[in-house]
Amino acid sequence: ARLGTLITAAQPTEAERALSQALAIRRPLVAEAPERGEVASRLGRLYASIGDLRLRQAQQTRAIEAYRSARQLFRALDE
């Protein structure tokens, strides 16, 4: 999640690529072990970073999608 914060302002294309790579790694980890809350929490923060990036790029619809994914993960953790 900090990766997005570090490079989004200066290099949004590179940030999008790095965040997408992180998603490709973290999604299967959550699918394999949904009981590991810290993994799901990191994935949620990653989706929030993607939402932030997309919002900065004036991609509101895509930002909302990412924020909704984050919210869904955080709600599941709260159950």
Side-chain angles (χ1 to χ4, degrees):
R2 289 195 176 124
L3 172 63
T5 304
L6 291 173
I7 61 176
T8 52
Q11 300 173 338
T13 303
E14 182 62 30
E16 182 84 29
R17 186 178 7 260
L19 292 168
S20 293
Q21 289 172 350
L23 270 182
I25 293 167
R26 290 192 178 156
R27 275 190 208 141
L29 294 174
V30 171
E32 290 172 14
E35 71 282 355
R36 293 189 59 203
E38 74 278 2
V39 177
S41 179
R42 287 182 187 148
L43 181 58
R45 289 193 305 270
L46 179 60
Y47 275 117
S49 291
I50 291 169
D52 292 345
L53 172 64
R54 291 175 176 169
L55 197 59
R56 286 186 190 115
Q57 294 174 316
Q59 299 176 10
Q60 289 82 2
T61 302
R62 293 183 71 210
I64 289 168
E65 291 170 3
Y67 290 137
R68 284 184 177 151
S69 295
R71 182 180 63 187
Q72 181 180 7
L73 283 163
F74 292 132
R75 282 187 174 167
L77 289 172
D78 208 26
E79 294 176 352

